[in-house]
Amino acid sequence: MEKCCCAEVKHKHRDKDGKEYKGLISRLNRIEGQVRGIRRMVEDDRYCVDIMTQVSAIQAALGAFNKELLAQHIHSCVVHDIREGDDKVVDELITLLGKMVH
């Protein structure tokens, strides 16, 4: 993992041929399709309850995406930074978890 230390912006260079990357992209593609489907439902004046049901499905899919990305982040970035002696990553993780739990 390489980092850019400019303005404390971190970048992870993902293995774009890796299973984890492909899984994240696949999830995002499905979510994108679901959002387009909802737009069509609104344009077609579909029943509100049906639209809201689909919105809930997207929220659940985004939650699953976030959980997977968080797990990858902990296993790679967080572990790496702690091993390198950068304990600030723990505070960053705590702040992130606070934003995720609402």
Side-chain angles (χ1 to χ4, degrees), residues 6-52:
C6 306
E8 295 191 24
V9 174
K10 296 181 181 182
H11 294 277
K12 177 177 180 177
H13 297 275
R14 299 184 191 286
D15 174 12
K16 299 209 173 164
D17 293 322
K19 179 178 144 186
E20 292 87 4
Y21 175 82
K22 289 179 180 179
L24 290 174
I25 295 300
S26 177
R27 282 180 187 264
L28 288 173
N29 286 337
R30 282 194 303 274
I31 292 166
E32 184 179 12
Q34 288 176 296
V35 171
R36 283 193 305 271
I38 288 176
R39 184 183 60 225
R40 284 190 300 274
M41 291 176 79
V42 170
E43 291 169 349
D44 293 343
D45 291 326
R46 296 278 301 272
Y47 187 52
C48 295
V49 172
D50 294 338
I51 296 170
M52 288 185 282

Side-chain angles (χ1 to χ4, degrees), residues 1 3 10 16 35 38 57 59 66 70 75 85 96 98:
M1 175 182 66
K3 294 181 189 175
K10 296 181 181 182
K16 299 209 173 164
V35 171
I38 288 176
Q59 289 171 326
N66 230 9
L70 176 62
H75 285 296
L96 173 64

